Amino acid sequence: MNGWYDACTGYTRTRLRDGTFSFSKAFLPTHMASFYVRRGNPNNFNVDDVSGKKIVFLDGWVNDEKCLARQKSITGSVLSADKIVHVTTTDEFLQQIITQQVDAGWSGNSLIAQGYFNDTVLQLLPPTTPQKCMLDGSAMMTRKDNNFTTYWNQGFDKLVESGRFTRLCSEAARRYGRVGTVACLNP
């Protein structure tokens, strides 16, 4: 991008991004990675053993097959290519699961709470040992040759210290909570 931007809003620190970008202090929390299955788990999907299971992932989201492969507490977490399905939208993710084209989906545990899905159709199944694919919550992501985060963090600290950040989060929850959970970090 040849340096024409200062920051990208709402990106999370991951292993892959950490080597290339700098991040401000997080303003939203991390989410645990979890499995999604059809409501009632009719096929008795076992969160601790995914051997031979076909799993759907959302392209561009941090909870990808590489993150699943790092979960040593889940047997069979390194999937073969024919067991990995990528989709680009949450609607496609949902359809893959409810039509049983896959055994489960793997993503952040906040998709139902944030209003992407109705919990009457899908069920969240967290692994026995909860896993994070993020190193930190949502923040401002910048080039490493940029001092944007210094200024952002100073301003964010003032917002937090004054109590305005908490008030903004409370107001957002009051106004928009009916659509999905407003999960602000409590710095």
Side-chain angles (χ1 to χ4, degrees):
M1 290 197 195
N2 213 17
W4 65 266
Y5 69 99
D6 285 317
C8 299
T9 304
Y11 278 72
T12 57
R13 242 180 86 224
T14 65
R15 290 172 187 237
L16 184 62
R17 292 175 185 159
D18 208 34
T20 306
F21 300 100
S22 290
F23 291 85
S24 71
K25 291 181 177 179
F27 49 83
L28 294 176
T30 59
H31 300 288
M32 296 297 177
S34 293
F35 292 103
Y36 288 84
V37 296
R38 287 180 49 223
R39 187 89 194 134
N41 194 12
N43 296 324
N44 295 314
F45 182 80
N46 180 354
V47 298
D48 296 319
D49 186 354
V50 298
S51 302
K53 301 297 183 189
K54 187 180 269 192
I55 311 292
V56 63
F57 302 90
L58 284 159
D59 274 349
W61 293 47
V62 297
N63 304 294
D64 59 12
E65 71 276 10
K66 293 171 195 80
C67 173
L68 179 58
R70 286 192 299 272
Q71 311 311 318
K72 301 304 176 205
S73 64
I74 301 173
T75 302
S77 62
V78 178
L79 304 174
S80 60
D82 65 321
K83 299 298 181 188
I84 299 169
V85 176
H86 286 273
V87 295
T88 58
T89 70
T90 53
D91 287 340
E92 292 171 303
F93 184 86
L94 175 66
Q95 286 305 309
Q96 287 282 320
I97 297 166
I98 63 174
T99 59
Q100 298 184 41
Q101 295 175 62
V102 297
D103 297 291
W106 171 259
S107 192
N109 67 348
S110 61
L111 293 178
I112 292 173
Q114 291 178 334
Y116 286 104
F117 304 124
N118 182 325
D119 65 356
T120 61
V121 177
L122 288 188
Q123 180 175 339
L124 182 69
L125 294 178
T128 304
T129 307
Q131 306 298 329
K132 282 192 231 178
C133 297
M134 306 171 184
L135 299 176
D136 205 355
S138 295
M140 302 299 284
M141 181 176 77
T142 67
R143 301 182 320 268
K144 288 214 180 257
D145 67 347
N146 182 325
N147 62 357
F148 176 88
T149 56
T150 302
Y151 297 108
W152 173 272
N153 288 342
Q154 288 172 357
F156 183 65
D157 286 345
K158 288 179 184 178
L159 193 64
V160 169
E161 288 165 13
S162 71
R164 288 177 59 206
F165 182 71
T166 301
R167 288 193 304 275
L168 285 169
C169 288
S170 296
E171 177 66 13
R174 187 185 65 74
R175 284 179 140 178
Y176 308 109
R178 70 188 177 289
V179 178
T181 302
V182 176
C184 287
L185 202 65
N186 192 5

